[in-house]
Amino acid sequence: MTTLSLLKYIGGYLEVVLSGYAPERFLNLCGNHNILIWNLRKEEDVYRFFISIRAFWSIRPFVSKTGCRIRILRKIGFPFWMNRYRKRKCFLMGVILAAGLVWFLSRFLWNVEVDGNSSVTTETVLTFLDEEDCGYGDRIRTIDCEQLERDLRAQFPEIIWASVQIYGTKMTVLIKENLVQQEAMEELPYEASDLIAEEDATVESIITRNGTPLVKNGDAVKAGDILVSGRIDLTNDSGERYAYEYCNADADIYLLTEYPYHDKFSLAHEEKRMTGAEKKRYSIDFFGKIITLPALSGEFECADKTTDYKQLCLHGDFYLPLGIYSSTLKEYRTEQEIYTKEQAEAVATENFNIYLSHLAEKNIQILEKNVIIDMDDKNCIMEGIIKVRTKAALRHETEQLTAPDTEDTEEGLVLNELE
């Protein structure tokens, strides 16, 4: 039901049949006087349409003037419904109280939807909204959408754009994030820092932007070795070191290394077998409180559970603080089985692909994979070597040294005077 249909129902309207000598003239008079009629259709020599109660009383002069006749077919709407039950005072009182309760609840926020977020979780955004008194159960009139948008951008640096909109009792928070993480924009915990090797590797390439490089292409490094130092030596014209300058080292360093891979699992395993038996469980969400209804039958020993949630919505975005959780329990039993060779290889390959996907998430590039699968009577073993390319980004605080003494030479005296 649309908003216009709801307004028509509240005001009440009639379905009528128009007949007579000049019905077209009657319809023209209605149009000239801005009298609204809808769903007009011709049936043989009569016209059928809908008209509001108020407009119905204003068309009587047109009926007499055109010599037409109007017959009421149906009375539709809240006023006629109220008149039908006017003698049932308790029932009418209950309807009025229910309408008043719905009106009161419409002043609060009962549904919050967050969309577009990735690095900032939905739970984090909802917690922030609750702290700002702009979440579930808060008054709608106290929420300043524009101010809330500014607060979201200020609270979460990842959010570059936010839109907060309220329709009915539902608030929608749309977010856009800056997913490009730039190290230069990060606040480093050190005044000066080195870039060091996290593991044994070979330097493939190094491009230094800030700091002193201590390795070159092709060098073999061990875990903990300094690749680019945050200490810069200051020297005089004679090449003598007279002071140090410190910074946060910055460079693009790509390392080649090898990761050993080993995965071992037993061929004996438990297989899940569904029995086909199902049970339903229900819970009620009442003003944010979950009330679990008692079960009419016992529980399964082993079961998969799926839950659906439906919140009561009267119309469009008009949500109420009442919902139902519907859980489906599907029983299963476990049986001991042995993997065949093909099944074991499939499981081992799946585990290996999951491991590779975790490496990819860390921006580690896979160059070469040399792994084999071997099986005995009880186990399946997959092992080998993975050659990868990584980008060094591990930092360590730079050790700050005391400035060396400048020799008392003519050049040194000049330098001291300049200092």
Side-chain angles (χ1 to χ4, degrees):
M1 180 181 290
T2 64
T3 303
L4 181 59
S5 299
L6 181 62
L7 293 176
K8 291 176 180 177
Y9 183 84
I10 293 174
Y13 59 96
L14 306 168
E15 184 179 11
V16 300
V17 171
L18 174 68
S19 59
Y21 176 71
E24 290 80 6
R25 184 185 177 194
F26 170 84
L27 296 175
N28 289 333
L29 288 172
C30 290
N32 293 335
H33 289 80
N34 296 322
I35 294 176
L36 177 65
I37 61 177
W38 66 93
N39 287 5
L40 175 66
R41 57 191 183 278
K42 185 175 182 181
E43 298 179 355
E44 297 180 354
D45 56 345
V46 299
Y47 287 91
R48 179 179 294 191
F49 57 88
F50 292 97
I51 188 171
S52 66
I53 297 175
R54 185 174 182 179
F56 179 78
W57 294 109
S58 64
I59 62 174
R60 286 194 165 190
F62 306 154
V63 173
S64 302
K65 188 174 182 179
T66 58
C68 294
R69 294 186 302 275
I70 284 188
R71 179 166 56 92
I72 298 175
L73 295 180
R74 282 194 301 161
K75 300 178 180 179
I76 308 166
F78 184 72
F80 302 112
W81 183 86
M82 287 286 290
N83 183 64
R84 188 183 311 159
Y85 295 100
R86 64 184 182 278
K87 295 182 180 180
R88 302 181 182 180
K89 297 181 180 179
C90 293
F91 177 74
L92 289 177
M93 184 62 66
V95 171
I96 294 173
L97 289 176
L101 178 62
V102 170
W103 175 84
F104 175 75
L105 293 177
S106 68
R107 319 311 295 170
F108 298 87
L109 201 63
W110 300 118
N111 186 279
V112 181
E113 181 180 289
V114 181
D115 192 18
N117 56 313
S118 177
S119 59
V120 181
T121 64
T122 299
E123 291 74 16
T124 302
V125 176
L126 294 179
T127 300
F128 172 76
L129 295 177
D130 288 336
E131 292 173 352
E132 296 293 319
D133 296 329
C134 299
Y136 183 90
D138 292 314
R139 283 185 174 272
I140 294 176
R141 69 178 184 180
T142 62
I143 300 175
D144 186 342
C145 294
E146 293 184 359
Q147 181 61 43
L148 190 56
E149 293 169 0
R150 292 191 289 269
D151 293 342
L152 282 168
R153 294 194 298 269
Q155 180 69 21
F156 304 102
E158 302 91 338
I159 298 177
I160 59 175
W161 178 84
S163 173
V164 179
Q165 299 175 341
I166 297 177
Y167 298 102
T169 59
K170 177 182 179 181
M171 181 170 72
T172 302
V173 181
L174 301 177
I175 290 173
K176 286 187 179 179
E177 299 176 353
N178 182 15
L179 301 179
V180 179
Q181 300 296 329
Q182 298 182 2
E183 185 180 354
M185 298 175 61
E186 296 178 358
E187 294 184 3
L188 299 176
Y190 311 117
E191 293 182 3
S193 59
D194 305 326
L195 289 177
I196 65 175
E198 189 172 0
E199 55 208 351
D200 296 352
T202 300
V203 178
E204 182 186 35
S205 66
I206 176 170
I207 300 175
T208 305
R209 287 184 290 271
N210 206 8
T212 303
L214 303 183
V215 295
K216 58 182 182 301
N217 295 352
D219 285 355
V221 297
K222 294 185 177 299
D225 287 353
I226 299 177
L227 306 177
V228 179
S229 174
R231 183 173 58 247
I232 303 174
D233 297 341
L234 300 180
T235 59
N236 55 27
D237 293 340
S238 300
E240 297 174 341
R241 185 188 307 113
Y242 66 88
Y244 299 111
E245 186 177 287
Y246 294 92
C247 65
N248 285 300
D250 185 16
D252 290 334
I253 310 170
Y254 290 94
L255 305 176
L256 300 178
T257 187
E258 295 181 347
Y259 289 166
Y261 179 79
H262 180 81
D263 180 31
K264 179 180 179 180
F265 57 91
S266 175
L267 295 177
H269 66 284
E270 290 186 346
E271 190 73 21
K272 184 189 296 185
R273 301 293 184 188
M274 308 304 296
T275 65
E278 292 186 6
K279 290 182 179 180
K280 288 282 190 178
R281 296 289 182 266
Y282 297 96
S283 300
I284 297 176
D285 178 10
F286 186 68
F287 285 90
K289 303 296 182 181
I290 308 301
I291 304 172
T292 302
L293 301 180
L296 301 179
S297 58
E299 299 291 341
F300 292 132
E301 183 178 351
C302 300
D304 286 337
K305 181 178 180 181
T306 57
T307 301
D308 292 326
Y309 176 71
K310 291 185 178 180
Q311 187 174 358
L312 180 60
C313 180
L314 294 184
H315 167 68
D317 294 319
F318 193 93
Y319 288 87
L320 294 180
L322 180 65
I324 296 179
Y325 287 96
S326 174
S327 300
T328 302
L329 303 176
K330 296 183 179 181
E331 185 185 29
Y332 68 86
R333 292 189 177 91
T334 56
E335 299 177 359
Q336 287 289 335
E337 292 192 359
I338 303 295
Y339 284 126
T340 64
K341 180 181 179 181
E342 292 76 14
Q343 291 173 335
E345 290 177 351
V347 172
T349 302
E350 182 180 0
N351 294 342
F352 182 63
N353 290 333
I354 292 173
Y355 176 76
L356 295 180
S357 66
H358 289 164
L359 293 181
E361 290 174 0
K362 299 177 183 178
N363 294 323
I364 297 176
Q365 184 179 355
I366 312 299
L367 300 179
E368 188 177 340
K369 299 170 285 185
N370 297 314
V371 293
I372 58 172
I373 300 177
D374 191 16
M375 282 183 285
D376 54 28
D377 294 338
K378 295 182 178 180
N379 302 299
C380 176
I381 304 171
M382 187 175 188
E383 57 186 355
I385 298 296
I386 305 172
K387 295 183 179 181
V388 300
R389 176 188 289 119
T390 64
K391 185 177 182 181
L394 190 61
R395 288 189 176 274
H396 187 273
E397 186 174 9
T398 302
E399 180 184 0
Q400 299 197 15
L401 304 178
T402 304
D405 294 333
T406 304
E407 294 183 4
D408 191 13
T409 62
E410 181 179 355
E411 183 176 346
L413 290 174
V414 173
L415 289 172
N416 288 334
E417 290 176 1
L418 291 175
E419 291 177 359

